[in-house]
């Protein structure tokens, strides 16, 4: 999808989306021009028949196969960037089937309470989300937006900046989604490592990839235990973007279980169904790294992921096994399906070696987060309230809902083991917080944030602008958090 600013007079697009506020009967500058170009259709038909309620759309076919789609934006003073993105994305989704020539145009929608850069950015994101489809395995593909036109006469630099940023983040999210949608048969640890290496080569950044032998040498024992039942070799990846005078150093860790069968504590079929997506954390931090390499902020960013499959076999790790993690702390395996926290524990320990100012991990970690927050809210927790608040504010601005879950010191009581330093699972209640409490043991950082996307990474019905399937959630929020 190529995005461009086009003057309304000059568009050759056959599908044009234009916005209307509720109870507003005057035409915008762009609409006045479209009205002239299309013989008064907006004035004579649309304005008279359209209420402009939020998310309402009405299609007006006019001569030469052109369709003008009126999009309701609700009350003028209530429009926010998040509502704009939702409305535009839904309208584009609905209009996609009409784009025969690959061109789709949207009026640049402005308002006093939203900034130009934000409006442009969110319009492009809206189009990117609506246009995305994992159709690699479909013999018949949907229509695609090849040229996306933003109709305006305004040549403000801010609009161009917003468009650029939108294109960068769309590419990053699509990159993440493509990895998540791909089958586990293809998206193996080795394949992910290859993708990471290619990304590093493309942007000329540092890459470190460890194979099984190197991992043994470095005592990634908890990680190796999880992967030992699989025919696929485990891989660890680290990429680093290092600007000249960084004002801050951040490590991002993504859970990278390329398939989670549960291991010997095997999952029932309905729970296993989406477990190719258990590497979404890894795909997310790779997407963020792609965006960071384009935006080039003065922050040093490392991304890390421990990649393996969790499989049942004769060589699998077993309940009752005691593992000496990379940190030296011992863990009794209470449930082989609580594998993510084991792999993350070793990576958190490794992250400390880089003396980061902040450590953030993102993981499809617990089914419990779905019980607590559903599929559309991401759970966050950590050991620093200021950092949590900061992240929460960024997520709210970007429009990705998050909610903080508590971590209490004494949650360790439930993880007590008779023979080791701790068990990997505890009581059923507050499962997401207990998992967070477990992870907290493995970082020395005083600025650690844990993001549980088990619910929000992959959805089975559309939500606001999001389509079903892989959502690319947190790619935009994490990028914004780093660059702002
Ligand atoms: N990958 C799962 C968590 C998950 C569940 C992700 C649903 C996406 C959707 C994780 O490894 C897991 O199996 N967690 C267990 C932990 C339990 C054994 C303490 C769970 O949530 O059931
Ligand atoms: Mn599991
Ligand atoms: Zn898992």
């Amino acid at each position: 999808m190529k995005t461009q600013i086009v003057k309304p007079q000059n568009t050759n697009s056959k599908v044009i989306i234009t916005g209307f506020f509720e109870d507003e009967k005057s035409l915008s500058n762009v609409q006045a021009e479209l009205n002239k170009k299309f013989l008064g259709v907006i004035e004579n038909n649309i304005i008279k028949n359209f209420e402009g309620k939020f998310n309402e759309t009405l299609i007006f076919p006019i001569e030469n196969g052109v369709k003008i789609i009126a999009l309701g934006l609700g009350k003028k003073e209530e429009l926010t960037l998040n509502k704009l993105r939702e409305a535009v994305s839904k309208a584009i989704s609905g209009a996609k089937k009409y784009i025969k020539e690959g061109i789709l145009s949207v009026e640049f929608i402005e308002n006093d309470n939203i900034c130009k850069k934000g409006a442009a950015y969110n319009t492009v994101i809206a189009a990117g989300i609506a246009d995305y489809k994992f159709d690699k395995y479909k013999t018949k593909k949907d229509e695609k937006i090849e040229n996306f036109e933003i109709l305006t006469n305004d040549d403000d630099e801010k609009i161009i900046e917003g468009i650029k940023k939108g294109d960068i983040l769309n590419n990053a999210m699509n990159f993440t989604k493509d990895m998540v949608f791909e089958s586990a048969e293809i998206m193996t640890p080795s394949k992910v490592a290859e993708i990471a290496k290619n990304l590093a080569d493309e942007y000329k950044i540092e890459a470190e990839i460890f194979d099984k032998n190197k991992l043994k040498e470095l005592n990634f024992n908890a990680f190796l235990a999880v992967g030992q039942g699989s025919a696929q070799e485990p891989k660890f990846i680290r990429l680093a973007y290092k600007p000249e005078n960084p004002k801050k150093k951040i490590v991002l860790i993504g859970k990278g279980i390329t398939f989670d069968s549960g291991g010997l504590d095997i999952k029932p079929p309905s729970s296993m169904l989406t477990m190719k997506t258990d590497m979404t954390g890894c795909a997310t931090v790779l997407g963020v790294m792609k965006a960071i390499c384009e935006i080039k902020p003065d922050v040093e960013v490392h991304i890390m992921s421990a990649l393996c499959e969790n499989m049942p076999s004769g060589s699998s790790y077993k309940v009752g096994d005691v593992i000496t993690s990379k940190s030296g702390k011992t863990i009794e395996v209470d449930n082989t399906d609580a594998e993510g926290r084991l792999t993350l524990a070793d990576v958190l320990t490794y992250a400390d070696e880089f003396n980061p100012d902040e450590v953030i991990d993102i993981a499809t970690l617990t089914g419990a987060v779905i019980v607590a927050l559903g599929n559309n809210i991401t759970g966050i927790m950590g050991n620093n309230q200021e950092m949590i608040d900061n992240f929460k504010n960024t997520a709210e601005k970007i429009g990705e809902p998050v909610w903080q879950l508590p971590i209490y010191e004494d949650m360790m009581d439930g993880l007590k083991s008779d023979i080791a330093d701790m068990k990997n699972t505890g009581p059923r209640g507050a499962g997401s917080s207990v998992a967070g409490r477990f992870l907290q043991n493995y970082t020395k950082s005083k600025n650690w944030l844990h993001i549980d996307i088990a619910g929000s990474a992959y959805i089975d019905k559309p939500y606001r602008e999001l389509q079903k399937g892989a959502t690319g959630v947190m790619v935009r929020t994490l990028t914004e958090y780093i660059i702002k």
Side-chain angles (χ1 to χ4, degrees), residues 176-197:
T176 298
K177 290 181 194 176
D178 280 348
M179 289 182 71
V180 176
F181 269 115
E182 187 55 273
S183 63
E185 188 58 19
I186 306 252
M187 202 49 63
T188 59
S190 302
K191 179 70 182 178
V192 177
E194 184 191 317
I195 291 171
K197 184 70 176 59

Side-chain angles (χ1 to χ4, degrees), residues 275-307:
M275 284 303 128
K276 67 173 185 185
T277 70
D278 213 18
M279 36 56 76
T280 302
C282 173
T284 304
V285 299
L286 280 165
V288 172
M289 188 51 119
K290 190 172 163 65
I292 291 299
C293 289
E294 295 280 351
I295 297 169
K296 302 187 179 71
D298 52 359
V299 177
E300 183 171 324
V301 181
H302 295 244
I303 61 159
M304 300 182 183
S305 187
L307 293 145

Side-chain angles (χ1 to χ4, degrees), residues 214-264:
K214 187 73 188 171
L215 289 162
K216 272 187 190 151
E217 195 184 301
L218 296 174
N219 287 315
F220 279 83
N221 303 320
F223 168 33
L224 286 167
V226 173
Q228 76 189 32
S230 163
Q232 295 290 339
E233 213 196 296
K235 297 280 179 196
F236 169 85
I237 60 166
R238 180 179 65 85
L239 303 185
Y241 162 80
K242 292 178 165 173
E244 238 165 71
N245 291 306
K247 63 170 200 279
K248 189 168 172 181
K249 191 197 292 182
I250 301 188
V251 175
L252 297 183
I253 300 170
K255 175 174 170 181
I257 302 296
T258 60
F259 191 75
D260 182 11
S261 71
L264 291 176

Side-chain angles (χ1 to χ4, degrees), residues 255 260 267 275 278 335 337 339 341 364-367 425 454:
K255 175 174 170 181
D260 182 11
K267 287 180 184 294
M275 284 303 128
D278 213 18
N335 190 317
D337 199 10
E339 83 297 335
R341 64 196 74 182
T364 45
L365 204 64
T366 62
T425 58

